[in-house]
Amino acid sequence: MAITQAIANSFKKQLLEGEHNFGTGDDKFKIALYTSSATLNSSTTAYAANPGGGANTEVANTGQYTAGGGLLVNSGTSITAGVARVDFADRSFTGVTLTARGALIYNTSATATNAAVCALDFGSDKTATAGVFTIQFPAATSTAAILRISG
C-alpha cells in the first residue's frame, strides 16, 4: 500500500462537469489523515476510512481529530498570469497523538458523495504527541498553490 501525491482523475472529469465550486461560501471541503497503510493516488475517487482495503488506514480518533477529518477554510480562488488557483487556510488538530503519512482532500458537497480532490503525500510519517498536528498549505502563488490550472 502506498500514498502517491496526485490530483484525483475523477476530480478532473467532475471539474469539467461543474461538480466542484471553490468559491468561498460554496462547496465544503474536508481533509482526512491517513497512515502509511493507506492506498491513495490518482485513482482514488472518494473519501473512505480504509482506502485500498487495508484495516485502520485512516488515523484513529484522537483529540480534535475525528473520522472523516476536518473542515477546510477555503481562502478562495484567484488568477495571475493565466494560472487559476485555489487556497485553503492551514488546518490544525489540537490535543492529538497520531502519526500520519498523508491526507485526502475531498468535497462533501459534490453530487458524487465525498468526492476526492487530491491525495497528499507528506514524504514521511509525521507525528504529534499530546499536541498539535498542522497541515500547512503552500503559498497561493501560480507556481506553488495546492490546486493550480494553467494552460
Side-chain angles (χ1 to χ4, degrees):
M1 307 205 187
I3 298 174
T4 304
Q5 186 148 317
I7 302 294
N9 290 332
S10 55
F11 169 75
K12 296 172 192 176
K13 182 176 181 290
Q14 291 163 355
L15 194 62
L16 294 175
E17 295 170 347
E19 287 281 329
H20 301 273
N21 186 343
F22 287 92
T24 56
D26 291 310
D27 287 1
K28 303 296 181 213
F29 297 88
K30 291 181 85 173
I31 188 163
L33 301 176
Y34 292 90
T35 69
S36 59
S37 297
T39 299
L40 298 171
N41 54 44
S42 62
S43 297
T44 302
T45 59
Y47 162 79
N50 296 306
N56 303 318
T57 58
E58 183 177 4
V59 169
N61 292 350
T62 175
Q64 191 187 45
Y65 186 85
T66 58
L71 192 62
L72 291 171
V73 175
N74 183 346
S75 298
T77 60
S78 57
I79 189 164
T80 305
V83 180
R85 57 193 174 271
V86 68
D87 186 34
F88 297 106
D90 295 349
R91 181 62 164 98
S92 294
F93 298 98
T94 59
V96 298
T97 297
L98 61 81
T99 299
R101 171 58 195 237
L104 179 72
I105 296 175
Y106 65 100
N107 186 346
T108 65
S109 305
T111 302
T113 305
N114 295 328
V117 174
C118 63
L120 304 176
D121 179 1
F122 298 156
S124 64
D125 283 348
K126 304 298 179 189
T127 303
T129 303
V132 179
F133 190 93
T134 300
I135 296 96
Q136 185 176 20
F137 287 97
T141 66
S142 58
T143 58
I146 193 72
L147 292 172
R148 308 179 297 278
I149 300 174
S150 63

